[in-house]
Amino acid sequence: MEVALVGVELRLVRLPLAEPFTTALGTRRRRDVVIVRTLVDDGPDGWGECVAEPDPTYWPEYAVGALDVLEHHLVPRLLDGRSLRQVRGHQMARAALECAALDAGLRAEGRSMASFLGATRPVVPTGIAVGRTRTVDDLVDVVLRWHGEGHRAFKVKIQPGWDVEPLRAVRREVGDEVALLADANGSYRSDAVDELATLQRVAGDDIDLVALEQPFAPDDLVGHARLAREIDRPVCLDESIGSLGQLESALALGACGAVSLKAGRVGGLVEARRIHQRCRDEGVSLRCGGMLETGLGRALNLAVAALPGCNLPPDLGPSSRYFATDLTAPFESRGGTMIVPDGPGLGIEPLPEVLDETTITLRTLRSTR
Ligand code: MG
């Protein structure tokens, strides 16, 4: 549904994380995130969260850069009625603006984001991503703490020197019933014989992974294809897939048995829907990946995770996993599941007082049409 956009509000918001999160790319203690609000003349405003991180380490985009490209290139195009596709790259910034525009339309229509995407499940399983800890025992303690709260799927961040041993320790403690993924964030080299041998052990029967995520650099599709032929666990691509076109290349090479789907990384919900359909047609598994989103982004991820093709555990946990105070009313989990919002649009909004308290930059652009 078309709505009369009168402007767009862009904010850089800073939220402290409930606990530090360490991956092969570094340690995060807070989440700086761009929040987009489309201002509508005679209906509800729309909201979108830009998943770009403060540093360009996971992906080339970063929060302050996304704010700049939104302010100077994307929002002016949207307000002028030009296509956002005129701007190359900058998927995360584009996705946030697309989400906010779409959210406004869906709210006006009274239709949920889950329904727009084609989601079929009212409830989805949780999946807890666990960063690197100081010791293997610390890692096991963290996993057991979440396991004790009912969560039954875990993604362990790995990197050279922190892989087989921690994964085996977790598997030993949690038993066979739990789904375990390993995510390397591209930290291994496909031309290093010893690292390939390690990945063979990571994918071994004793650890029993449901998937091995992004072992190699994003552009190393050939390396991923070679590994996929050598191990009998799906190689799941995350950073390698920024568009449907890149998915097609990966499929043609045999480089992916699974995809970590993030609407932000692929430029938005329309592209995410296409990628989901293409993976289903090819029999490729999907999982909804996470970017330490606030409640706003989590609402979207819940809708994505509820798609019929998302058959691998997501990166999805209750708000308390990430923030002491979330931007929205907190999302809770129960027995290792979470409810998919079914209200209009994202089904949730930022709490005005938290939004104002955590905003460090605010820009408002008005339509001149
Ligand atoms: Mg990943």
Side-chain angles (χ1 to χ4, degrees):
M1 180 174 170
E2 285 289 310
V3 293
L5 275 191
V6 294
V8 174
E9 193 181 87
L10 303 170
R11 290 169 187 257
L12 185 63
V13 161
R14 175 168 293 171
L15 291 169
L17 291 176
E19 52 190 63
F21 188 73
T22 301
T23 71
L25 305 170
T27 299
R28 301 232 172 283
R29 290 189 168 75
R30 61 180 199 225
R31 187 73 172 105
D32 285 5
V33 62
V34 175
I35 300 294
V36 180
R37 177 186 202 169
T38 45
L39 306 168
V40 176
D41 200 13
D42 51 358
D45 293 344
W47 296 92
E49 172 168 343
C50 177
V51 297
E53 296 182 308
D55 300 305
T57 49
Y58 163 83
W59 187 251
E61 295 178 81
Y62 60 104
V64 174
L67 188 65
D68 185 90
V69 82
L70 278 160
E71 181 181 358
H72 297 291
H73 301 283
L74 290 167
V75 172
R77 280 177 171 75
L78 181 74
L79 294 178
D80 287 355
R82 287 178 285 161
S83 169
L84 300 184
R85 290 198 161 262
Q86 291 178 344
V87 174
R88 288 211 202 277
H90 298 283
Q91 284 95 323
M92 292 175 172
R94 239 185 315 134
L97 187 56
E98 186 213 56
C99 179
L102 194 58
D103 184 46
L106 291 170
R107 284 179 201 266
E109 225 178 296
R111 185 178 177 201
S112 73
M113 193 63 85
S115 150
F116 168 80
L117 281 170
T120 50
R121 277 174 283 192
V123 168
V124 293
T126 57
I128 303 294
V130 188
R132 184 175 178 157
T133 50
R134 207 173 46 82
T135 65
V136 171
D137 284 349
D138 289 349
L139 178 74
V140 168
D141 286 348
V142 172
V143 170
L144 288 179
R145 173 156 59 86
W146 291 103
H147 187 266
E149 293 185 21
H151 303 283
R152 291 297 177 263
F154 296 91
K155 185 170 89 174
V156 175
K157 293 288 189 178
I158 62 168
Q159 63 191 84
W162 178 267
D163 38 44
V164 177
E165 195 200 342
L167 285 167
R168 279 191 180 145
V170 169
R171 174 57 78 200
R172 213 166 32 233
E173 289 299 321
V174 296
D176 298 338
E177 301 298 300
V178 162
L180 212 54
L181 276 99
D183 184 5
N185 288 109
S187 57
Y188 293 78
R189 283 173 40 197
S190 66
D191 60 352
V193 174
D194 56 330
E195 294 190 4
L196 282 174
T198 301
L199 292 174
Q200 296 271 10
R201 289 159 66 209
V202 164
D205 287 342
D206 56 334
I207 297 174
D208 193 17
L209 292 180
V210 297
L212 171 57
E213 187 166 311
Q214 198 70 42
F216 309 128
D219 62 355
D220 190 3
L221 290 180
V222 171
H224 285 103
R226 215 177 285 137
L227 183 70
R229 287 195 292 273
E230 286 171 15
I231 62 176
D232 64 358
R233 308 287 158 169
V235 170
C236 178
L237 294 183
D238 178 352
E239 288 94 322
S240 289
I241 307 295
S243 64
L244 181 61
Q246 289 176 348
L247 172 67
E248 294 294 357
S249 302
L251 291 173
L253 285 167
C256 71
V259 169
S260 179
L261 183 57
K262 295 175 180 169
R265 198 197 56 232
V266 302
L269 292 155
V270 173
E271 189 81 346
R273 211 163 57 165
R274 289 192 192 113
I275 287 175
H276 171 263
Q277 189 55 51
R278 188 73 181 97
C279 286
R280 284 196 86 192
D281 293 346
E282 285 291 318
V284 166
S285 295
L286 288 146
R287 59 185 304 272
C288 173
M291 296 289 294
L292 307 181
E293 284 89 350
T294 75
L296 211 50
R298 193 169 328 285
L300 177 58
N301 287 353
L302 283 161
V304 171
L307 287 167
C310 287
N311 55 346
L312 294 177
D315 296 329
L316 257 183
S319 294
S320 61
R321 165 72 185 89
Y322 309 94
F323 305 105
T325 305
D326 205 337
L327 203 53
T328 62
F331 279 98
E332 316 277 355
S333 65
R334 180 173 292 183
T337 61
M338 291 174 74
I339 295 169
V340 180
D342 61 359
L346 291 169
I348 198 161
E349 288 182 357
L351 299 167
E353 64 279 18
V354 179
L355 184 66
D356 286 340
E357 270 168 28
T358 56
T359 295
I360 53 177
T361 306
L362 172 63
R363 306 245 188 284
T364 305
L365 290 90
R366 296 272 169 196
S367 173
T368 50
R369 288 210 290 178

